[in-house]
Amino acid sequence: MTASSHRTAQALKARSQRTEASLLRIKSVVDQLAKNGGLITVAAVARQADVSRTFLYEHTEARNIVTEATLRARGLRAQTDQAQRDAVEASWRERALNAEEALKNTNAEVANQRERIGELLGQIAALQGEWTDADVVRITTVNVALQREVRALTTERDRLTKRLAAARDNARFADKRIAALEAQIAEQLTAPRT
């Protein structure tokens, strides 16, 4: 083996080692980007793995690593996007069902209220149908007369209540006066006569 062939072999070996190291860095960067959810592009991988874009495009194994990672990331993103769309759709479906149930309950309540209003309007119509204008005038007149009589009786009750209170006061005074006179008479009867 000549010196030049030996140098060539060493250069090829060094180049092979640099290529292997670059491939390991590329795999590491791709794995890190995939793990972190970062966007896997040739520019991002080249920058972080400290290799040239040309290396990534021209070296078959490096290009395959990036391509496969990009496809996996797209697949994961597509699955994630689909899962998010499914979650949003399920949420809207749930909201729609809740709104539908609320609308059904509201319609039932409106129907019940309308039925109750109809019953009350029927009762009002029945009451209005039973009374003629003459009946209303007569009832109003009787009501006014009864109110006057109530006022007069209230006044009379108040006057009689005052008279009763005064009569009770007089009776108490008379009882005290009688008791005092009885005591005086009893004293005179029991006193010695001179």
Side-chain angles (χ1 to χ4, degrees):
M1 193 181 269
T2 65
S4 70
S5 64
H6 181 61
R7 279 191 299 246
T8 305
Q10 283 182 338
L12 288 175
K13 184 177 178 185
R15 183 176 181 188
S16 175
Q17 287 174 345
R18 281 193 308 269
T19 301
E20 285 299 317
S22 295
L23 289 175
L24 286 175
R25 286 195 313 271
I26 291 169
K27 287 179 185 176
S28 175
V29 166
V30 164
D31 289 343
Q32 190 64 33
L33 286 173
K35 182 179 177 183
N36 294 336
L39 188 60
I40 300 174
T41 63
V42 171
V45 172
R47 185 175 47 254
Q48 291 183 28
D50 195 26
V51 296
S52 69
R53 290 185 194 181
T54 306
F55 178 81
L56 289 174
Y57 286 120
E58 290 179 354
H59 197 278
T60 306
E61 192 174 347
R63 186 175 58 243
N64 287 341
I65 291 170
V66 173
T67 304
E68 288 175 12
T70 304
L71 291 175
R72 277 195 313 270
R74 283 183 190 159
L76 288 175
R77 263 196 286 282
Q79 288 175 351
T80 303
D81 290 347
Q82 184 60 41
Q84 288 175 342
R85 282 192 297 273
D86 290 346
V88 168
E89 185 178 329
S91 171
W92 280 108
R93 190 176 305 119
E94 183 69 24
R95 288 179 187 173
L97 291 173
N98 289 342
E100 197 173 288
E101 183 68 23
L103 180 62
K104 182 176 141 187
N105 291 339
T106 302
N107 285 337
E109 182 62 26
V110 167
N112 288 339
Q113 294 296 329
R114 285 183 176 163
E115 184 177 321
R116 180 71 178 137
I117 289 169
E119 289 172 4
L120 292 173
L121 288 174
Q123 290 175 3
I124 290 171
L127 290 173
Q128 287 175 340
E130 293 177 9
W131 304 102
T132 64
D133 289 340
D135 290 335
V136 172
V137 169
R138 181 181 55 78
I139 290 171
T140 304
T141 305
V142 168
N143 188 32
V144 169
L146 287 173
Q147 286 176 350
R148 278 191 208 130
E149 188 175 338
V150 165
R151 279 194 299 272
L153 289 172
T154 301
T155 304
E156 180 66 15
R157 183 202 65 206
D158 291 344
R159 187 181 65 79
L160 290 174
T161 301
K162 287 177 185 175
R163 284 183 67 191
L164 177 62
R168 284 182 179 155
D169 286 343
N170 287 340
R172 277 193 295 275
F173 178 76
D175 285 345
K176 286 180 184 177
R177 180 72 181 135
I178 291 171
L181 289 174
E182 286 177 347
Q184 196 177 21
I185 292 172
E187 195 177 289
Q188 287 177 355
L189 289 177
T190 59
R193 293 194 182 177
T194 48

